[in-house]
Amino acid sequence: MTAGTVTRGRSTGTVIRGRSTGAVRGRPLLRTSYAAEQAIWNTPAKRAWTLALVVAVLALPFFLSRDLTSLMTTVFIMAIAGIGLNLVTGYAGQVSLGHAFFMGLGAYTAAVFGGAGDDELVGLGLDMAVWLPMAGVVPALVGLVVAPLAARVRGLYLAILTLGLVFIGEHVFKEARSITGGVGVGRAPAEPVLFGLDLRARYHVFGYILSREAVFYFVCFAIFVVMAMAARNLVRSKPGRAFAAVRDRDVAAALMGVSLRRTKTLAFTISSFYAGVAGALLVVVIGRVTPTSWDLFLSIDLLAVILIGGIATISGSILGAAFVVLTPRLVSELADVVPFISTSPSSGFLSVFQLQTMLFGALIVLFLVLEPRGLYGLWVRVRNYWKAWPFSY
Amino acid sequence: MTAAPDAALAEPLLDVAGLTLRFGGTTAIRDVGFGAGEGSLLAIIGPNGAGKTSILNCLSGVYRPQEGTIRYRGEDLRGMRPDVIARLGVARMFQNIELFENLTVLDNLMLGRHRHLRYGTLAALLYGGKARRAETENRRVVEDIIDFLEIQAIRGSLVGMLPYGLKKRVELGRALAMEPTLLLLDEPVAGMNVEETEDMARFILDIRGELGVTMIMIEHEMGLVMDIADQVLVLDFGRRIALGPPAQVQRDPAVVKAYLGEAS
Ligand SMILES: Nc1ncnc2c1ncn2[C@@H]1O[C@H](COP(=O)(O)OP(=O)(O)OP(=O)(O)O)[C@@H](O)[C@H]1O
Ligand SMILES: [Mg+2]
């Protein structure tokens, strides 16, 4: 008994059943197979833009200072964490303020597996091919344990529960000196040696000298691409639809056969994996950090990434990460020019940090009220305006 | 009109007995029993607040009745989670539309296919051969339903943007996409104009005629009920006051007194 038996006429709409997978020549938007329509890059414009973007990204380190290259690396890393948060909060609708904890957990897991050990610190000194996946797996397992609790509450209660994670995490990180180095000391991050290749060395490629910052930039970009693609695949298939269903109408979702508990648990687990990997990579860029760095402010930065970038979009998370990482830098450059902004917290009318916090706060409010889809939504509006031009109203 | 009641009643797909549902002090359903034979259509009628929707909510696991049994294909559904019941082939259309408004018509229907998509999370993350094939095959089924319901033109539209009548149709489509064994319809033509009502009635008849899906339908539109139901269950204040073929129920004095008498 399949629904196929009830079919009457065949559709001749935009989707035409056919063998060929390519677009019909001269009509690039006519899709001749479901696979072509379901593809991520389903229009020539998207393909062209993506290609241009990838080329630009690959060329960038050759033009940027080492310092700015690292900043761009941070964009990729925050984008990974942002995508993770967007999966659980944007797609599955489960607010999480606890992502700073999972990032910290990832960072320390990496440090344990990949860092150098001594009398005071635990460190196994393993390859990045081991510590990077572990930095995802361990937070994912903790996420898996926490998820059943989190799946029972919603809204404000969930926010508070996940906030609790950050406080518990901070406390544990402070006390576990043999793992984290303790307050004010910290520990060196895991060593970025990938398949025996030392990513801290300079390399000569095609006559160019690649700085260690540039090398790590490329590595992080590759990891980011893989994880962004995986997330994109997830949200366009069965689990992603289940996320959205649970977010929009949980009763109806259950009546479709979607298990609420399983779906929420999956969202938490995967998103913790993303956060863990991001945390591990972030400390490699920043260097030694104290255990108190994984605090509420980091969680809020991550929320800013998805709220400013765009809820429930993968590309929005990337835009948001770029915004959140690059704006403070821009503001501090401005501080040299604008008199009342100072770079040190004590002097001047406004410090950079204060200005940045205010700016993010104001933007989050503005976007929530005016364009809940964030920067991504703005982009869609601009695109639709030009598509409809000269009939844009 | 009635589809061979003896054959239908020989092996009931659903057998409900002694169903009682209380909310604190109020009793929404009181000791109600009924059955539905394979391929039959049972209509539930009754005044507002009689407990009709509550019965469907008990069947689909949204409410947990305090007493009674709900035997469905030999299993007792009472106490099972809604998603487990859904996976057993019980689909549902709601009185107040419960679509995923932020998703497209296609995604809504693909959610109906959820229980038929058999690939795991890892396959989804990689979107390799297995996931891709399953998505395409199920997309084909969904397209057949889109053709059947004549909603080709809106397949890519966000459901939230659609007018009421089309939303109802999409909701029927989503329930059909589940390939249900038992289909629960809560006032499928409420709030529709004559033309939309006729379309919906035609779809319901086609579903029964061509797919043989067993249906339970709550409906106030008496003409429709008398036309297409095999059995009619009449409720009043949570009690069963009549159960039988439409013609018989229509003549039942209790029904005339409690419901038809005052309503029409
Ligand atoms: N979740 C609930 N909590 C408390 N009381 C409820 C709940 N759901 C239903 N009831 C009560 O149960 C009774 C039956 O409600 P139900 O929705 O089943 O009626 P109905 O026959 O579907 O009515 P209508 O024709 O208006 O849809 C009503 O008195 C209602 O107030
Ligand atoms: Mg009702």
Side-chain angles (χ1 to χ4, degrees):
Chain A
M1 186 189 70
T2 71
T5 50
V6 296
T7 308
R8 300 223 210 75
R10 284 279 160 183
S11 126
T12 49
T14 45
V15 178
I16 295 172
R17 272 152 255 241
R19 289 275 132 217
S20 96
T21 47
V24 173
R25 207 195 306 210
R27 294 195 54 192
L29 293 182
L30 178 71
R31 296 182 199 120
T32 53
S33 75
Y34 297 136
E37 194 189 47
Q38 283 154 2
I40 297 180
W41 291 284
N42 52 9
T43 66
K46 277 187 200 168
R47 278 191 288 273
W49 273 108
T50 310
L51 191 68
L53 214 60
V54 168
V55 170
V57 162
L58 291 180
L60 212 52
F62 296 101
F63 300 97
L64 292 181
S65 68
R66 291 165 55 176
D67 173 39
L68 284 176
T69 304
S70 282
L71 199 67
M72 289 305 296
T73 311
T74 314
V75 170
F76 297 138
I77 295 168
M78 285 301 273
I80 294 173
I83 289 170
L85 182 63
N86 225 336
L87 287 177
V88 73
T89 300
Y91 284 94
Q94 311 300 306
V95 183
S96 171
L97 289 173
H99 265 53
F101 164 69
F102 290 112
M103 286 182 79
L105 192 61
Y108 293 124
T109 306
V112 166
F113 280 93
D118 53 35
D119 331 331
E120 276 157 30
L121 287 173
V122 186
L124 303 174
L126 297 172
D127 195 278
M128 186 170 170
V130 177
W131 66 249
L132 190 66
M134 287 318 290
V137 168
V138 171
L141 289 177
V142 174
L144 189 68
V145 173
V146 176
L149 273 178
R152 285 167 171 271
V153 292
R154 58 173 87 195
L156 193 57
Y157 298 99
L158 182 58
I160 292 167
L161 189 143
T162 50
L163 181 62
L165 272 183
V166 175
F167 290 127
I168 295 170
E170 261 191 89
H171 182 73
V172 172
F173 292 158
K174 275 188 211 163
E175 295 305 313
R177 279 192 201 87
S178 60
I179 291 172
T180 67
V183 184
V185 186
R187 75 176 287 175
E191 283 160 25
V193 178
L194 185 58
F195 298 116
L197 194 72
D198 191 347
L199 304 180
R200 287 160 307 181
R202 287 206 257 157
Y203 287 91
H204 295 259
V205 182
F206 307 125
Y208 283 97
I209 298 170
L210 276 186
S211 64
R212 51 183 286 192
E213 284 81 5
V215 173
F216 201 60
Y217 170 97
F218 287 122
V219 170
C220 286
F221 177 61
I223 295 167
F224 155 76
V225 168
V226 169
M227 294 185 77
M229 294 272 286
R232 194 70 188 71
N233 286 339
L234 192 77
V235 299
R236 66 176 165 148
S237 54
K238 179 184 162 186
R241 278 191 301 264
F243 286 178
V246 167
R247 173 195 65 200
D248 285 355
R249 272 179 200 274
D250 50 2
V251 174
L255 295 178
M256 297 294 105
V258 175
S259 160
L260 300 185
R261 205 178 331 142
R262 216 189 97 85
T263 305
K264 289 179 185 179
T265 302
L266 184 68
F268 266 104
T269 308
I270 293 182
S271 119
S272 308
F273 183 96
Y274 276 68
V277 169
L281 294 174
L282 190 63
V283 281
V284 175
V285 177
I286 300 178
R288 183 180 287 264
V289 297
T290 153
T292 47
S293 327
W294 313 103
D295 59 3
L296 183 60
F297 284 107
L298 181 59
S299 281
I300 290 178
D301 273 356
L302 278 175
L303 273 182
V305 167
I306 67 167
L307 288 174
I308 294 175
I311 280 286
T313 66
I314 300 297
S315 33
S317 319
I318 303 164
L319 291 175
F323 190 90
V324 166
V325 173
L326 301 180
T327 308
R329 178 55 178 254
L330 210 66
V331 172
S332 63
E333 299 283 333
L334 279 179
D336 300 338
V337 194
V338 184
F340 62 84
I341 306 172
S342 79
T343 37
S344 75
S346 48
S347 64
F349 175 60
L350 271 177
S351 74
V352 169
F353 181 72
Q354 285 168 327
L355 192 68
Q356 168 203 334
T357 312
M358 279 166 53
L359 192 67
F360 286 175
L363 276 171
I364 290 176
V365 172
L366 272 182
F367 272 119
L368 279 180
V369 175
L370 298 176
E371 179 49 273
R373 289 177 304 166
L375 291 173
Y376 175 81
L378 286 185
W379 154 245
V380 170
R381 283 195 198 192
V382 170
R383 194 181 63 188
N384 289 347
Y385 182 88
W386 287 112
K387 257 191 194 166
W389 195 86
F391 302 109
S392 335
Y393 305 109
Chain B
M1 197 80 272
T2 47
D6 39 280
L9 292 176
E11 188 200 325
L13 179 79
L14 181 75
D15 188 11
V16 177
L19 198 67
T20 299
L21 174 74
R22 282 183 290 267
F23 293 107
T26 60
T27 306
I29 307 170
R30 204 183 296 261
D31 191 26
V32 170
F34 59 90
E38 198 101 42
S40 70
L41 196 157
L42 171 78
I44 304 181
I45 63 171
N48 291 108
K52 306 182 295 295
T53 301
S54 298
I55 287 196
L56 295 200
N57 279 336
C58 290
L59 295 185
S60 49
V62 178
Y63 289 167
R64 295 180 167 236
Q66 280 79 7
E67 287 161 42
T69 53
I70 306 170
R71 295 207 75 76
Y72 165 79
R73 292 169 129 184
E75 277 181 279
D76 192 357
L77 298 186
R78 197 159 76 96
M80 284 190 188
R81 283 207 320 267
D83 55 298
V84 177
I85 294 177
R87 286 196 288 272
L88 292 175
V90 179
R92 170 91 184 262
M93 220 180 133
F94 299 84
Q95 185 169 0
N96 307 308
I97 297 167
E98 294 268 355
L99 287 166
F100 306 110
E101 305 245 316
N102 295 322
L103 304 185
T104 61
V105 170
L106 263 176
D107 278 339
N108 269 275
L109 297 191
M110 284 302 282
L111 267 159
R113 297 301 296 165
H114 189 83
R115 76 186 185 104
H116 298 282
L117 285 166
R118 302 201 182 280
Y119 62 87
T121 309
L122 207 59
L125 284 165
L126 301 172
Y127 208 74
K130 193 176 174 200
R132 198 181 296 262
R133 225 176 307 118
E135 287 287 321
T136 310
E137 276 164 16
N138 283 278
R139 172 70 189 272
R140 219 159 259 148
V141 177
V142 162
E143 285 295 333
D144 286 340
I145 291 166
I146 287 176
D147 287 350
F148 168 63
L149 294 174
E150 297 155 13
I151 49 175
Q152 296 90 342
I154 55 159
R155 62 157 79 70
S157 310
L158 289 183
V159 163
M161 311 287 211
L162 299 176
Y164 181 81
L166 277 180
K167 279 187 187 169
K168 279 269 184 191
R169 215 184 268 199
V170 173
E171 209 186 31
L172 177 64
R174 188 182 63 178
L176 277 186
M178 294 175 71
E179 275 179 51
T181 313
L182 178 62
L183 180 57
L184 311 176
L185 306 170
D186 198 344
E187 305 197 13
V189 303
M192 286 186 159
N193 62 31
V194 177
E195 196 184 332
E196 288 168 336
T197 303
E198 277 172 3
D199 280 341
M200 189 56 83
R202 181 163 53 88
F203 293 137
I204 293 171
L205 283 173
D206 282 355
I207 292 164
R208 187 158 70 125
E210 297 183 40
L211 298 179
V213 178
T214 309
M215 282 189 267
I216 299 180
M217 179 179 79
I218 296 175
E219 192 45 72
H220 282 298
E221 179 65 43
M222 287 309 292
L224 185 63
V225 169
M226 294 305 155
D227 272 355
I228 69 177
D230 299 313
Q231 294 275 310
V232 181
L233 167 67
V234 190
L235 294 179
D236 194 16
F237 293 112
R239 276 180 228 272
R240 180 181 105 179
I241 57 171
L243 175 66
Q248 181 192 321
V249 163
Q250 216 167 7
R251 279 183 271 107
D252 194 307
V255 177
V256 174
K257 182 164 162 284
Y259 179 66
L260 296 174
E262 59 184 44
S264 55

